[in-house]
């Protein structure tokens, strides 16, 4: 006699209920997460992002961060919280970001002073080229050579300024927003190329420097365009050259330094998003793609322009090249001129 009879027998009521219960539960059992399993990579972002700004609130870097951060948060479905951490040209914030967990939830808006800070300060604790993952370039911030139109009434072009400076018995003074500022470095490069020697009179910030240039205490300044533009438009300052390789829409009639005899001259302050080194490439590429879409929006371009900045997209590889090139170019000038921040 076989151990199991092939003849089927009717199930009891209790057995039928048990089988029906197991059938209903099967899909739920298949979908239930395994204890300790990590969320899929596609789940990013699952919480708010922190965008560290290495300068105080209100400046062009902060303004650009808030414009892009708000729109990026809307596109990602998670808030992007701006965290201002000023100090030492942004090196305090950069060190914090360099040491942050590379989980895709920490970004920093790099600006040129922070990029160059390791050349200007003895111990920043980070390497701009090695300790970060470049994500996307966001904006260019043009700089401009301005003169006091009363003190230098006949100086309307860059060659005229250089000729005037060379004719002085003692070096003519010029100013910037501070020792090691981008205006300072850019004028030193211009002097090097033009064979002229002017005396730098550093100020602690662009506002007092512009105030004294307008007041006649200093005749020349290499300034951020965003700070100088209202005074140029009011006739209190005269713009004679922009450092960008191309003219800027805000001052279309002002020629570039390259146009005035210094072919290849390129001095543009800029900003872009960085992440800690080791941040997943998928996250970097996602943020870069979203920001690219943000920067083509006219609303974004107009708001950045109102802050004195020009929307400029460069992908992670292009931004990495720009970081390396600027770090090398300006670092060499800093060493040649023995410049150090105060």
């Amino acid at each position: 006699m076989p151990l199991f009879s092939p003849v089927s027998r009717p199930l009891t009521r209790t057995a039928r209920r048990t089988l029906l219960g197991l059938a209903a539960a099967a899909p739920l059992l298949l979908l239930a997460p395994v204890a300790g399993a990590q969320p899929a990579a596609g789940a990013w972002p699952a919480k708010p992002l922190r965008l560290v700004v290495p300068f105080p609130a209100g400046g062009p870097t902060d303004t650009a961060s808030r414009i892009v951060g708000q729109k990026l948060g809307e596109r990602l479905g998670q808030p992007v919280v701006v965290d201002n951490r000023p100090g030492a040209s942004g090196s305090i914030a950069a060190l914090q970001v360099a040491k942050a967990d590379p989980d895709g939830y920490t970004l920093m808006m790099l600006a040129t002073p922070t990029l160059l800070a390791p050349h200007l300060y003895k111990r920043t604790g980070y390497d701009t080229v090695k300790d970060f993952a470049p994500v996307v370039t966001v904006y260019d911030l043009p700089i401009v050579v301005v003169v006091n139109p009363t003190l230098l009434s006949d100086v309307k072009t860059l060659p005229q300024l250089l000729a005037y400076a060379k004719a002085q018995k003692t070096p003519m003074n010029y100013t910037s927003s501070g020792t090691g500022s981008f205006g300072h470095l850019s004028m030193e490069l211009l002097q090097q190329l033009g064979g002229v020697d002017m005396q730098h009179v550093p100020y602690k910030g662009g506002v007092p420097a512009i105030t004294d240039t307008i007041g006649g205490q200093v005749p020349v300044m290499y300034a951020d365009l965003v700070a100088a533009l209202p005074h140029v438009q009011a006739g209190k300052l005269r713009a004679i050259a922009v450092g960008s390789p191309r003219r800027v829409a805000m001052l279309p009639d002002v020629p570039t330094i390259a146009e005035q005899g210094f072919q290849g001259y390129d001095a543009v302050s800029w900003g872009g998003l960085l992440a800690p080194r080791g941040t997943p490439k998928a996250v970097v590429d996602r943020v870069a793609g979203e920001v690219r879409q943000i920067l083509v929006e006219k609303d974004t371009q107009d708001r950045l322009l109102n802050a004195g900045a020009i929307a400029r997209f460069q992908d992670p590889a292009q931004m990495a090249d720009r970081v390396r090139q600027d770090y090398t170019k300006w670092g060499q000038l800093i060493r040649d001129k023995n410049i150090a921040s105060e």
Side-chain angles (χ1 to χ4, degrees):
M1 186 175 189
L3 294 176
F4 298 100
S5 171
V7 179
S8 62
R9 297 178 181 176
L11 295 172
T12 65
R13 182 177 298 178
T14 300
R16 283 198 300 271
R17 287 177 179 174
T18 300
L19 288 175
L20 289 173
L22 289 172
L28 298 178
L29 292 170
L30 291 172
L31 293 175
V34 178
Q38 298 299 315
W44 182 92
K47 62 181 181 179
L49 280 68
R50 181 171 71 118
L51 174 53
V52 178
V53 178
F55 298 100
T61 301
D62 174 73
T63 301
S65 298
R66 294 178 186 276
I67 292 169
V68 173
Q70 176 191 352
K71 289 177 175 284
L72 179 61
E74 292 170 356
R75 297 179 73 91
L76 294 177
Q78 289 286 352
V80 175
V81 181
V82 172
D83 182 7
N84 295 89
R85 296 295 177 107
S89 295
S91 59
I92 294 174
L95 180 58
Q96 293 179 352
V97 173
K99 293 182 176 181
D101 187 355
D103 58 2
Y105 291 97
T106 300
L107 299 169
M108 183 180 78
M109 183 64 82
L110 174 73
T112 298
T114 310
L115 188 159
L116 300 178
H119 290 306
L120 295 163
Y121 292 87
K122 292 182 179 179
R123 289 179 294 274
T124 59
Y126 69 90
D127 184 310
T128 314
V129 176
K130 297 178 180 178
D131 292 340
F132 301 96
V135 179
V136 60
T137 300
V138 173
Y139 68 88
D140 282 350
L141 190 65
I143 55 177
V144 59
V145 180
V146 294
V147 301
N148 181 297
T150 301
L151 293 179
L152 300 178
S153 57
D154 294 331
V155 173
K156 298 179 181 179
T157 67
L158 182 62
Q160 289 173 346
L161 173 65
L162 298 181
Y164 182 90
K166 289 178 181 180
Q168 304 308 301
K169 294 181 179 179
T170 58
M172 184 175 70
N173 291 338
Y174 81 93
T175 188
S176 74
S177 59
T179 299
S181 68
F182 196 60
H184 178 202
L185 300 180
S186 300
M187 185 62 90
E188 291 298 319
L189 176 61
L190 179 58
Q191 290 184 81
Q192 190 179 70
L193 296 174
V196 63
D197 184 24
M198 291 190 283
Q199 178 63 47
H200 183 226
V201 181
Y203 279 72
K204 292 185 177 181
V207 172
I210 286 177
T211 298
D212 274 11
T213 305
I214 293 171
Q217 283 79 9
V218 187
V220 183
M221 180 179 178
Y222 212 144
D224 290 343
L225 180 55
V226 62
L229 185 60
H231 307 292
V232 172
Q233 293 171 332
K236 297 178 181 179
L237 295 172
R238 177 185 295 139
I240 63 170
V242 293
S244 312
R246 291 173 293 279
R247 296 194 187 195
V248 297
M250 291 168 279
L251 290 173
D253 297 327
V254 178
T256 67
I257 289 175
E259 287 180 280
Q260 298 184 70
F262 297 92
Q263 187 174 3
Y265 183 94
D266 182 355
V268 180
S269 186
W270 59 278
L273 296 178
L274 287 179
R277 183 181 62 180
T279 297
K281 185 178 184 298
V283 171
V284 170
D285 290 344
R286 171 77 185 280
V287 173
E290 298 293 356
V291 173
R292 180 172 191 162
Q293 297 303 314
I294 290 168
L295 293 179
V296 299
E297 296 175 3
K298 187 176 185 304
D299 173 66
T300 303
Q301 295 175 3
D302 290 345
R303 291 173 67 186
L304 287 173
L305 203 59
N306 287 336
I310 299 171
R312 174 75 183 280
F313 170 81
Q314 290 177 299
D315 65 26
Q318 292 168 327
M319 182 179 175
D321 287 342
R322 192 173 190 181
V323 167
R324 285 192 294 268
Q325 290 169 7
D326 276 12
Y327 192 76
T328 301
K329 169 185 173 179
W330 296 107
Q332 186 62 55
L333 179 73
I334 290 166
R335 289 189 293 274
D336 290 346
K337 296 287 186 176
N338 196 28
I339 299 170
S341 287
E342 298 172 343

